[in-house]
Amino acid sequence: MKQELSKYSIEIKQDSDWVLVEKGYDLPSDKLSIVFDAIDYMDVIKLLVSGIRADIHFTNTLTGLSENKFAVMEPRDVLYLEAGSEGIMAYTKGSRYSIKETLHYYENIWAAKGFIRINKSQLVNLLHVKEIIPWFNSRYVLRMDNNTELEVSKMFSKKLRNTLNI
């Protein structure tokens, strides 16, 4: 895997905030872990490479509109993104912002930042999940830092379980 990562100039840092962990190995308690099956290691490489863009500034910030004012935010400040009748909205602890692009766009470029799709209309920042509550029919409810509760659909529950090793 190190050799494949080096082909894309992705360096491995010991002090990183997140780690790649092959299924079956111990998870560090102090870092965000991406768990993968050894057979799927190329999918992990693709995920990491999809986060590399010519202009890294755009992947590290988000511009949203609220009350006729624009705000520039970092992904870590976003609790979740939601597609609805008003378009794509970014939710922070205190506000909500109208944003451009699609959920699919942010799902691809922010996967390495801890964002995961939980249903067809929501993308959540795992760093802001306070509790994971098992729900009916193999689903979950995520309680966020701001006490908002988001439902993980059955279709995306397996991905969440695999990502968090639960």
Side-chain angles (χ1 to χ4, degrees), residues 9-156:
S9 300
I10 298 174
E11 58 183 288
I12 298 171
K13 295 182 179 179
Q14 298 300 323
D15 61 344
S16 177
D17 291 333
W18 58 276
V19 294
L20 299 173
V21 179
E22 186 178 332
K23 192 176 259 184
Y25 287 86
D26 293 332
L27 298 175
S29 60
D30 60 336
K31 297 182 182 217
L32 180 64
S33 300
I34 298 174
V35 180
F36 66 96
D37 284 317
I39 199 162
D40 297 327
Y41 83 95
M42 282 308 294
D43 290 338
V44 175
I45 301 294
K46 288 178 191 173
L47 172 78
L48 295 173
V49 171
S50 71
I52 298 172
R53 296 285 186 254
D55 189 351
I56 202 71
H57 171 74
F58 294 112
T59 63
N60 288 329
T61 61
L62 171 72
T63 303
L65 178 66
S66 179
E67 299 176 7
N68 293 324
K69 296 179 217 161
F70 288 98
V72 178
M73 304 164 266
E74 294 184 32
R76 70 173 179 235
D77 297 329
V78 177
L79 278 67
Y80 64 99
L81 302 174
E82 183 174 60
S85 59
E86 300 175 33
I88 308 295
M89 303 299 286
Y91 290 82
T92 62
K93 285 187 180 177
S95 301
R96 74 180 202 146
Y97 300 90
S98 174
I99 60 172
K100 295 195 182 223
E101 301 298 343
T102 63
L103 286 182
H104 183 70
Y105 171 81
Y106 290 107
E107 183 178 15
N108 287 332
I109 68 166
W110 285 358
K113 297 180 186 306
F115 282 77
I116 186 171
R117 179 76 68 124
I118 61 166
N119 57 50
K120 67 179 185 174
S121 62
Q122 293 176 321
L123 191 63
V124 70
N125 185 343
L126 292 173
L127 298 174
H128 290 287
V129 174
K130 185 166 55 171
E131 296 177 328
I132 302 171
I133 305 161
W135 210 242
F136 303 103
N137 296 327
S138 302
R139 295 178 294 160
Y140 296 95
V141 170
L142 304 180
R143 186 167 293 133
M144 306 303 290
D145 286 342
N146 66 352
N147 289 319
T148 300
E149 292 184 351
L150 307 174
E151 185 178 325
V152 181
S153 72
K154 190 173 184 178
M155 188 168 110
F156 291 95

Side-chain angles (χ1 to χ4, degrees), residues 1-10 12 20 45 48:
M1 183 174 258
K2 286 181 183 179
Q3 185 177 5
E4 284 297 318
L5 290 172
S6 68
K7 287 180 186 178
Y8 298 100
S9 300
I10 298 174
I12 298 171
L20 299 173
I45 301 294
L48 295 173

